[in-house]
Amino acid sequence: MSLRVFRRVASVVLGLVGLVFVVVGVVQVAGQSWDDATGTVKSCTVEGAQSSAVGAKARIYHRCEVTWDAGDGTKTSTLEVDEDEAVAGWIIDLKVNDDTAIIPSPSWLAYSTALVGLALVLVALFLSWLGRRRDRQAAEAAEAAAS
């Protein structure tokens, strides 16, 4: 595989990774504007996923049923909760929008994720432009040498 093809593939992959970061960041930022609520953990189940990597630990997470009071009654959702909060009766802060609840991430994390994604997309665009410019200059040099 030529270096030119590698550079193009790398810039496309970098751009796609950046786009994923932008989308995740924007979703997190949008979640920051949801209403604040206080939820109560009702019941939890422990789940895990074993990693195939040598020496890696299994990822253990707690899926908990969480309820909160809304203007039109009590709402319930299933959320992934930290181990120390996965206790029946535990009170947790939530961001809610209708029947949907999330455990809020810090706002700096949401904005940072979006900005890192934007930076990756811009670097990918720059690398793509640079590659096209290099190809154009090489074609012009070959045409001048042939004349």
Side-chain angles (χ1 to χ4, degrees), residues 15 29 53 63 83 88 100 124 133 137 146:
V29 168
R63 290 206 184 275
E83 181 178 4
T100 305
R133 182 172 163 238
Q137 287 174 343

Side-chain angles (χ1 to χ4, degrees), residues 44-83:
C44 297
T45 58
V46 178
E47 300 178 15
Q50 183 65 44
S51 174
S52 62
V54 176
K57 294 181 180 178
R59 181 178 182 273
I60 305 233
Y61 52 96
H62 302 267
R63 290 206 184 275
C64 298
E65 185 177 287
V66 178
T67 60
W68 70 95
D69 289 327
D72 56 346
T74 301
K75 305 281 185 169
T76 303
S77 183
T78 302
L79 300 172
E80 189 174 319
V81 176
D82 290 335
E83 181 178 4

